[in-house]
Amino acid sequence: MIDFVNRKYKALSGFDQHFSNRSSPSRLILQIVTLQFFYYLTAFILFFITASLIGQPFDAKWLFSWRVITVGTSLGITLIMLWLFDSLISVIFIMLVIGRSKLAWDFAVTVHVINLMFAWLYDGFPMSLTWWLLQITSACIMVGLGTYSTRWKELRDTFFEGLIDPELGQADCMIPNAQEDHHTSSHSKAKGPSSIDEQAKQDVIPMHTIK
């Protein structure tokens, strides 16, 4: 059982080392695309559910237009709250997809830069102060909580690796020691009778000495 666990652990370690090049451009691009996809997917789900609840048809401009982000209407306030909630949920994706505290702020800012580009292409350069304040607040949420959550994940992984490695090492050492003790015990038992016979021969007193 211990050998089986050890083999599985080494296999996982080799798999992680195979994909350990976290700074490769292809990997970074894939992470950016994945994080941006989940950012918009979460917003779409939140907006679609809200539109169904309030009885309004869903509109794509809720995702890409900066003109609807305003505090002058109930829809604008609702969208602001939903975008902030989307930022909180995206922290989970930063922890799962990125997983590194040193890169969390970079990816969080990249998400909002790409969002700015989409808003610019969809409805012109954003001229709304409310929209800019929303982006800054959302970026601060994702940077702060994303860095904290990824750092916690790194510390947790390091802690459990420190627990697993010594246990496997001790388990490997215990097996040879047990085999060595068993061999020594068997060897001692094998020598036992011959030692007793030699002691008995030494204790016998020759008959001619008695005479």
Side-chain angles (χ1 to χ4, degrees), residues 143-181:
V143 169
L145 295 180
T147 303
Y148 175 81
S149 60
T150 51
R151 185 172 300 171
W152 172 82
K153 182 176 181 293
E154 290 174 345
L155 293 175
R156 186 197 63 175
D157 294 341
T158 304
F159 175 76
F160 280 107
E161 286 178 0
L163 289 180
I164 293 175
D165 289 339
E167 290 180 357
L168 291 177
Q170 291 177 3
D172 292 337
C173 294
M174 288 173 61
I175 295 176
N177 291 337
Q179 294 177 352
E180 184 178 355
D181 293 340

Side-chain angles (χ1 to χ4, degrees), residues 68-181:
V68 294
I69 304 300
T70 176
V71 294
T73 62
S74 58
L75 177 61
I77 296 175
T78 302
L79 293 178
I80 291 174
M81 301 302 294
L82 290 177
W83 275 118
L84 293 177
F85 188 52
D86 181 25
S87 301
L88 291 174
I89 298 177
S90 297
V91 172
I92 301 175
F93 297 121
I94 291 178
M95 182 179 64
L96 297 177
V97 176
I98 310 305
R100 299 179 65 187
S101 58
K102 294 181 179 180
L103 298 178
W105 70 272
D106 193 6
F107 281 88
V109 173
T110 303
V111 167
H112 291 84
V113 171
I114 295 175
N115 188 40
L116 170 62
M117 295 173 60
F118 278 118
W120 195 345
L121 293 174
Y122 185 85
D123 215 1
F125 186 78
M127 302 297 295
S128 173
L129 179 61
T130 304
W131 186 89
W132 282 105
L133 291 177
L134 173 62
Q135 299 306 308
I136 294 174
T137 305
S138 175
C140 290
I141 291 174
M142 292 181 64
V143 169
L145 295 180
T147 303
Y148 175 81
S149 60
T150 51
R151 185 172 300 171
W152 172 82
K153 182 176 181 293
E154 290 174 345
L155 293 175
R156 186 197 63 175
D157 294 341
T158 304
F159 175 76
F160 280 107
E161 286 178 0
L163 289 180
I164 293 175
D165 289 339
E167 290 180 357
L168 291 177
Q170 291 177 3
D172 292 337
C173 294
M174 288 173 61
I175 295 176
N177 291 337
Q179 294 177 352
E180 184 178 355
D181 293 340

